[in-house]
């Protein structure tokens, strides 16, 4: 909210003293009345609005628009709980396979296993034994029931792809955002569990050569351990970030609690930082994530 004032002045009268030339000394005095009207208008900035998480016209991360973002740090939870299966809206997001698996290989086809190799130098086989005679009372001219040969050779139904994990969806979403962010964007990526793993010690300028390397860094992160949310947020703030995009699925349990995270964030918010938050799963700290976004003018996406 940015107040501004519009001051309008209305001049009602004119005040001056005029001296006429000779002959005579005549003084003319006019009284002046000044009226000042002041009007104060308050302009409220519209809150940010989430966009579609699929096929959005702008670059987004879980519906958080990133258009024009600079000096932004993506802070992603990589604790052990991120290995759990995605559920709800999160599981509905398409997760493309890693680039190493995106090959134009034909689908595997099934063929029956080969029979035993032909015997070598075997003696002539003896004639097959005569067919057993029909049991008494049976009709020898009746045809035998057909044999369903397909039932004996049909392959087992192929298993479908396993459902994605939370970390799989998070990695795919961030990789897609990094693919679409324009060259020249200043950014960094920070994963946290019991330790912090940043792509670089400071901001990097995104270019075509470094884009693939940053995406590889994102996809190589493995979920394990606890949740050092407090140290991760402090590290992102010390990078002089203008914007933090935080994703977490649980409670910070290493290096500070929710109260300390919010206290540190409020210091940075007074300096103008914006914090967008994405909470996934049933165990997300919605109170903390909502407060971080609301107080900084960011977005909170609960998935």
């Amino acid at each position: 909210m940015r107040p501004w004032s519009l001051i309008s002045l209305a001049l009602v009268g004119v005040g001056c003293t005029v001296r006429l030339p000779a002959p005579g000394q005549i003084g003319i005095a006019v009284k002046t009345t000044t009226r000042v009207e002041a009007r104060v208008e308050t302009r409220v900035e519209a809150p940010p609005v989430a966009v579609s998480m699929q096929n959005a016209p702008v670059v987004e991360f879980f519906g958080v628009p990133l258009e024009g973002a600079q000096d932004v740090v993506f802070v992603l939870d990589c604790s052990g709980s991120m290995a759990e299966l995605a559920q709800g809206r999160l599981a509905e997001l398409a997760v493309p396979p890693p680039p190493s698996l995106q090959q134009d290989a034909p689908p595997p086809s099934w063929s029956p296993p080969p029979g035993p190799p032909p015997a070598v130098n075997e003696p002539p086989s003896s004639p097959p034994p005569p067919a057993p005679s029909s049991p008494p009372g049976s009709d020898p001219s009746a045809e035998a029931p057909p044999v369903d040969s397909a039932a004996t050779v049909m392959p087992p139904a192929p298993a479908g792809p396993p459902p994605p994990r939370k970390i799989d969806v998070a990695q795919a979403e961030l990789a897609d955002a990094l693919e679409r962010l324009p060259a020249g964007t200043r950014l960094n990526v920070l994963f946290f569990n019991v330790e912090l793993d940043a792509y670089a010690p400071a901001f990097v300028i995104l270019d075509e050569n470094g884009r693939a390397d940053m995406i590889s860094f994102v996809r190589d992160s493995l979920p394990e351990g606890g949740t050092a949310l407090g140290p991760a947020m402090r590290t992102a703030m010390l990078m002089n970030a203008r914007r933090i995009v935080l994703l977490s699925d649980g409670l910070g349990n290493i290096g500070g609690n929710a109260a300390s995270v919010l206290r540190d964030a409020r210091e940075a918010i007074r300096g103008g930082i914006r914090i967008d938050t994405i909470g996934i799963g049933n165990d997300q700290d919605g109170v903390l994530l909502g407060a971080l976004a609301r107080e900084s003018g960011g977005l909170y996406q609960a998935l």
Side-chain angles (χ1 to χ4, degrees), residues 6-261:
L6 177 64
I7 308 298
S8 61
L9 300 178
L11 184 61
V12 176
V14 178
C16 60
T17 301
V18 180
R19 295 194 177 274
L20 301 179
Q25 298 290 331
I26 301 175
I28 301 176
V30 180
K31 291 184 178 180
T32 302
T33 301
T34 303
R35 185 176 62 204
V36 179
E37 293 181 354
R39 183 176 61 193
V40 179
E41 294 184 359
T42 301
R43 180 178 300 170
V44 179
E45 296 182 355
V49 179
V51 298
S52 172
M53 289 188 289
Q54 291 182 311
N55 303 318
V58 297
V59 185
E60 52 81 28
F61 179 61
F62 285 105
V64 176
L66 300 173
E67 190 172 10
Q70 290 289 352
D71 298 333
V72 56
V73 183
F74 295 93
V75 181
L76 274 72
D77 190 338
C78 196
S79 61
S81 58
M82 289 292 289
E84 298 172 357
L85 297 181
Q87 298 179 354
R89 293 173 60 195
L90 191 69
E92 297 174 0
L93 296 178
V95 181
S100 59
L101 299 181
Q102 295 179 357
Q103 300 174 356
D104 295 329
S109 59
W110 181 90
S111 60
V120 179
N121 297 329
E122 285 187 351
S125 57
S126 57
S133 59
S134 300
S138 62
D139 185 1
S141 62
E143 295 183 357
V147 178
D148 186 4
S149 59
T152 61
V153 297
M154 284 294 291
R165 303 172 300 172
K166 296 177 185 177
I167 190 66
D168 298 328
V169 182
Q171 289 170 328
E173 280 287 304
L174 183 52
D176 180 69
L178 294 176
E179 285 279 10
R180 301 177 62 192
L181 280 170
T185 303
R186 297 184 301 273
L187 76 161
N188 207 342
V189 178
L190 174 63
F191 284 95
F192 66 94
N193 41 45
V194 293
E195 299 178 340
L196 308 182
D197 188 13
Y199 176 75
F203 287 110
V204 297
I205 299 178
L206 190 64
D207 58 21
E208 298 310 319
N209 294 328
R211 193 187 302 268
D213 186 54
M214 183 174 288
I215 292 175
S216 296
F217 168 77
V218 169
R219 292 194 179 277
D220 288 343
S221 298
L222 299 176
E224 59 184 355
T227 309
L229 175 59
M233 290 295 290
R234 286 192 291 270
T235 301
M237 295 171 195
L238 290 174
M239 291 180 183
N240 294 322
R242 293 169 54 188
R243 187 171 177 183
I244 294 176
V245 182
L246 168 66
L247 180 146
S248 180
D249 74 332
L251 307 176
N253 52 24
I254 296 176
N257 55 16
S260 63
V261 171

